[in-house]
Amino acid sequence: MTPPTGAAGTLESPHTAGTDSPEATGELVRLSPRDAARVLTQLLLPTAAKGPIMRRPTPMKLSERHGWDRHALDLMAELRQRYGDGPVMLNTTARPIALLLTPGDMHRVLGETPDPFTPDTLEKRRALGKFQPHGSLISRGGERRARRRVNEKALQMPRAMHSAAPDVVRRTAEESSATVDRALRHGVLGWDDFGEMWWRAVRRIVLGEAAADDTGLTERLNTLRSAANWSLLRGRQRARRDEFLLRVHRYAFAAEPGTIAHALHEPGLGRPEADPVGQIPHWLFAYEPAGMVTFRALALLAGHPEQAARAVAEAGEAGDPATPRPLPYLRACVRESTRLWHTTPMILRETTEPTRWTGGTMPAGTLVVTYSPWFQRGEFATPHQDSFAPEQWLSGDAEENPALVPFSDGPGRCPGENLVLLTASSWLAGMLAHTDWKVISRPAPRAGEAVPALLDHFTLYLTPRPRAGAG
Ligand code: HEM
């Protein structure tokens, strides 16, 4: 994907960019104190309140009800209009923060990861360190290279079908079918039931059958994730963390073929600095947002009959939902759900040295913020900003649009993307094959209406109806 030409901060190339430009040695544009306060209170704090590592139900509800996300998008549009292409600086007492305003600048930062834009920021280190102290995102230098490589290899990043796909799909089909049965019995499906079944599938997919019913493992992880939400404030939870990691190690060493953990047994991945098993907590943690995305995709389809018809047709093709299938339309629906409600609303980087931009120099130690919803749903996402348009992922239009990167881009791009798409599309196929769904909570995404800026998965409810004639 190529950045658009004309994005102010990227007219010139990295580190040394703009050496001849008179402005390049000056300071970047700084937000007025009033605007800086608005960014803090209308964008950064609400995003943090919702829970960057583990979503919190009350702020999610408040955000949905009071339109916090829409206000943040409006604020970004206003800043872009008044300050130009940025990046713009907020000078806080703690340390400088830069806010990116154009896809060109976002691609520069993602493309020049990890140097000089390291993903290992102070905030992430404190947060993720509570349950994945050796995660690749919070590592630097040779350790980051080795750990990133382990992730790319074990998750088989470029492959649409992981070599474990037959087992991933079988497990997914079994759990999604059990979810439909439960919904039919209860007459309704909410996040509590969906999440419980999704987590069971995740434990089986990642760690194997022995972990299927180990809800305690998920609870331990979630306790650590809740603590991670308070990254800068709460202590390390070391005893809890060690106990959780020990359990993960036990499962990983015993993992059977057909699990993702077993992919770590591949020779050559075990270099000491790589800590292959130490990457698993990130996989478990990141699979939960994948569940949110899948649940919301179901809600989108429930309110969009035209798209649902295509999805149902694909789900019903070739019969057996337990056989790996490409499911391109359902994958596109999952991507679209991720675009509309981004699960990593703030992609953070920290500058390891001063970097030059057309507008001036950004000091070392700056926290660089990509507010993803602005790129996925703001003016750069036209023509589908607020509509459900899975077809844009099939026509190539979305790939052509540099603003649309729900799985990030560059050397820090999500290595789990294909595995997520495989799992989520198979899950949806199972849920749609014989059942129609209707959203009974509000807001309900509906064809012809703007897709809500946030869909709180905690208070989302759907009712199932067996489809007449479906076998
Ligand atoms: C809908 C689900 C998911 C989305 C939208 C997503 C998106 C992302 C994004 C935006 C990043 C970059 C974060 C940053 O730079 O701070 C990332 C990183 C990462 N993701 Fe995902 N992810 C998802 C699920 C998963 C899953 C299920 C796995 C593993 C099974 C996974 C593995 C990773 C890893 C290991 C990294 C760190 C990469 C690095 O250190 O360079 N992700 N993901």
Side-chain angles (χ1 to χ4, degrees):
M1 190 179 286
T2 39
T5 50
T10 47
L11 287 174
E12 312 179 47
S13 68
H15 312 259
T16 52
T19 356
D20 301 331
S21 154
E23 317 94 270
T25 48
E27 282 187 19
L28 282 168
V29 173
R30 199 182 297 188
L31 291 181
S32 71
R34 179 173 171 274
D35 287 332
R38 291 168 73 207
V39 168
L40 199 66
T41 55
Q42 292 176 29
L43 193 154
L44 300 178
L45 288 178
T47 307
K50 279 183 275 173
I53 307 297
M54 178 143 167
R55 298 291 185 269
R56 299 183 177 105
T58 305
M60 286 289 284
K61 187 75 255 162
L62 289 172
S63 182
E64 186 186 67
R65 189 169 298 158
H66 299 294
W68 293 357
D69 297 70
R70 182 61 62 196
H71 297 322
L73 285 174
D74 291 345
L75 176 60
M76 288 294 291
E78 187 196 320
L79 293 179
R80 168 102 206 290
Q81 207 172 31
R82 292 189 18 235
Y83 287 88
D85 284 345
V88 288
M89 301 294 295
L90 286 83
N91 284 0
T92 64
T93 45
R95 65 165 160 163
I97 298 178
L99 193 59
L100 303 181
L101 300 180
T102 64
D105 286 354
M106 172 179 74
H107 276 278
R108 171 176 174 190
V109 168
L110 297 179
E112 293 174 36
T113 292
D115 284 307
F117 302 107
T118 177
D120 175 31
T121 69
L122 174 71
E123 298 72 16
K124 257 190 267 181
R125 200 159 49 249
R126 292 265 182 91
L128 299 180
K130 294 206 165 56
F131 59 93
Q132 44 160 302
H134 296 162
S136 63
L137 266 182
I138 53 169
S139 307
R140 294 193 183 196
E143 284 183 344
R144 170 166 169 81
R145 276 193 296 282
R147 292 168 186 174
R148 169 83 201 177
R149 184 170 162 273
V150 164
N151 279 292
E152 288 182 9
K153 288 267 177 196
L155 301 173
Q156 301 180 3
M157 185 178 176
R159 293 184 61 172
M161 288 287 174
H162 195 281
S163 57
D167 292 283
V168 171
V169 171
R170 178 179 51 79
R171 290 172 166 135
T172 304
E174 285 164 9
E175 299 300 339
S176 71
S177 161
T179 307
V180 175
D181 289 347
R182 191 188 277 199
L184 288 169
R185 272 198 318 277
H186 295 181
V188 69
L189 179 64
W191 175 250
D192 282 354
D193 283 336
F194 186 100
E196 190 184 319
M197 304 307 281
W198 178 266
W199 264 115
R200 189 167 196 279
V202 170
R203 289 190 299 269
R204 294 176 68 197
I205 290 168
V206 175
L207 300 172
E209 294 309 327
D213 294 316
D214 191 353
T215 51
L217 183 79
T218 306
E219 278 159 25
R220 279 175 174 77
L221 172 61
N222 289 345
T223 305
L224 293 165
R225 288 171 64 206
S226 293
N229 272 344
W230 300 98
S231 65
L232 297 175
L233 304 177
R234 296 265 295 264
R236 283 177 184 235
Q237 313 263 328
R238 190 164 272 165
R240 271 213 182 97
R241 182 183 83 184
D242 291 349
E243 199 211 335
F244 165 71
L245 292 176
L246 183 66
R247 274 168 102 123
V248 171
H249 270 78
R250 285 206 186 112
Y251 284 124
F253 284 115
E256 66 264 30
T259 59
I260 309 303
H262 188 264
L264 292 173
H265 296 187
E266 193 188 306
L269 289 185
R271 302 233 306 269
E273 74 273 27
D275 188 6
V277 176
Q279 308 311 306
I280 295 180
H282 189 101
W283 306 348
L284 295 170
F285 143 68
Y287 246 125
E288 189 185 66
M292 285 154 45
V293 161
T294 311
F295 193 38
R296 288 168 174 155
L298 187 66
L300 283 163
L301 286 166
H304 291 79
E306 228 174 86
Q307 286 88 343
R310 254 185 103 173
V312 166
E314 188 174 86
E317 272 168 20
D320 183 6
T323 307
R325 292 176 288 161
L327 301 174
Y329 193 74
L330 286 168
R331 281 182 182 234
C333 292
V334 175
R335 283 191 196 278
E336 189 63 353
S337 169
T338 313
R339 174 186 76 81
L340 287 165
W341 300 294
H342 206 276
T343 57
T344 318
M346 281 197 285
I347 300 182
L348 303 179
R349 295 288 183 266
E350 192 172 289
T351 50
T352 55
E353 59 185 86
T355 54
R356 290 190 185 162
W357 302 74
T358 305
T361 300
M362 190 186 287
T366 300
L367 179 71
V368 185
V369 177
T370 296
Y371 181 62
S372 321
W374 165 241
F375 296 100
Q376 316 297 315
R377 294 197 66 168
E379 61 200 45
F380 299 111
T382 48
H384 298 300
Q385 286 164 288
D386 290 333
S387 54
F388 175 49
E391 54 282 1
Q392 67 173 325
W393 296 100
L394 298 172
S395 64
D397 290 351
E399 304 288 342
E400 288 289 305
N401 183 342
L404 306 186
V405 284
F407 288 91
S408 186
D409 207 0
R413 185 177 181 133
C414 176
E417 176 176 354
N418 267 317
L419 188 59
V420 168
L421 296 175
L422 172 70
T423 313
S425 60
S426 310
W427 184 283
L428 284 174
M431 300 212 72
L432 292 167
H434 309 295
T435 316
D436 290 323
W437 298 89
K438 184 175 173 212
V439 176
I440 53 163
S441 49
R442 290 288 170 268
R446 250 196 278 269
E449 292 177 12
V451 171
L454 178 67
L455 190 65
D456 171 20
H457 61 291
F458 291 117
T459 53
L460 173 63
Y461 291 94
L462 297 100
T463 50
R465 193 158 46 91
R467 189 172 310 113

